[in-house]
Amino acid sequence: MSTTTAAKRWESKSTRLLRQFAHETGGSFRAASFKGFKYTPQAVLLDLERGQGELNVQVVNSSNQNSGSQECIVITYEFRPRRKLKFYLIPKKKLVLHLFDHDYRETTMPNNVLGKLFKAGSSHPSIMRAVLKHEPLADDLIMHPVADIRLKIKEHGAQLTYKELVKKPDTEMLQARVDVMKHVIEALFEQSVVYEGK
């Protein structure tokens, strides 16, 4: 067997996982690539319903030495914003990097359970609280207490990112996090944060 054939047959665990996830969900697997000086990591692209765009699902090795053998599930969603909302929702124990950024105001959780698990800051606290009250999302967050969810404004667009460190990720884990992300997006649409259509 040639070296080239062997290289094609060998795939990393994350590549095999993403290929399997794409097959099970009807998504498309995108291999990593270099174009010019820009690196595009491997991912699964999942189309959302009603033409709401697509999710970009990645599994990356954690750069945090304290995380042990954990890997990071990263899901992103880019959209055209109607309101320039930006926020962070992070676990209670995590360091707040936006502490001195005046664009973020402390946002109280809509209930005590979430208040014990997360802390949040946003440019529009009332909208953020309404997003967190979205019924499926509130339940999801209790099930994923180490999720890190952020919404950033990027030039004329916005990017929503979900990150979570997990051990031995599988397709069920990926699907569970995708479901959380879909509920965040539903809540953002409810609050007219996302433009309908492109």
Side-chain angles (χ1 to χ4, degrees):
M1 182 170 61
S2 69
T3 305
T4 306
T5 305
K8 284 182 178 179
R9 287 188 181 177
W10 182 88
E11 287 183 329
S12 67
K13 288 182 181 179
S14 59
T15 301
R16 287 199 303 272
L17 172 59
L18 289 174
R19 285 190 188 278
Q20 182 184 353
F21 185 64
H23 176 73
E24 291 180 5
T25 59
S28 58
F29 174 79
R30 182 192 66 199
S33 65
F34 272 106
K35 289 185 180 178
F37 294 101
K38 185 180 179 182
Y39 172 70
T40 303
Q42 66 179 4
V44 172
L45 306 180
L46 292 176
D47 287 330
L48 295 172
E49 295 178 0
R50 300 186 296 278
Q52 294 176 349
E54 66 181 13
L55 293 182
N56 182 306
V57 183
Q58 300 174 40
V59 177
V60 298
N61 292 329
S62 172
S63 58
N64 185 346
Q65 294 179 348
N66 297 326
S67 67
S69 60
Q70 291 180 312
E71 293 182 89
C72 190
I73 295 174
V74 181
I75 307 171
T76 55
Y77 173 64
E78 295 189 355
F79 63 91
R80 184 182 171 200
R82 174 172 282 164
R83 297 182 177 183
K84 290 193 175 181
L85 171 69
K86 57 181 182 178
F87 67 74
Y88 62 83
L89 177 71
I90 58 178
K92 200 83 173 184
K93 296 178 182 179
K94 199 164 186 176
L95 178 66
V96 179
L97 299 177
H98 304 290
L99 196 59
F100 302 106
D101 188 335
H102 298 296
D103 287 344
Y104 292 87
R105 288 179 283 164
E106 185 177 351
T107 303
T108 57
M109 295 293 106
N111 61 59
N112 290 334
V113 178
L114 287 180
K116 290 177 181 178
L117 299 173
F118 294 97
K119 53 190 171 185
S122 65
S123 57
H124 298 76
S126 61
I127 300 176
M128 176 65 176
R129 279 177 57 83
V131 167
L132 292 173
K133 286 180 180 178
H134 185 73
E135 200 167 301
L137 176 57
D139 293 339
D140 286 341
L141 293 174
I142 294 169
M143 298 297 294
H144 299 277
V146 295
D148 180 318
I149 304 174
R150 300 174 195 247
L151 177 56
K152 297 179 180 178
I153 301 297
K154 296 179 64 180
E155 296 179 0
H156 301 296
Q159 184 180 67
L160 177 68
T161 305
Y162 179 105
K163 292 182 181 180
E164 186 177 344
L165 286 172
V166 299
K167 287 186 177 180
K168 298 181 179 178
D170 57 26
T171 57
E172 288 186 9
M173 285 186 184
L174 290 180
Q175 186 60 59
R177 277 68 182 178
V178 164
D179 290 342
V180 177
M181 192 68 154
K182 287 180 177 179
H183 291 152
V184 178
I185 294 167
E186 287 171 8
L188 292 174
F189 268 92
E190 275 190 5
Q191 298 305 313
S192 300
V193 175
V194 187
Y195 266 112
E196 296 280 354
K198 295 290 183 182

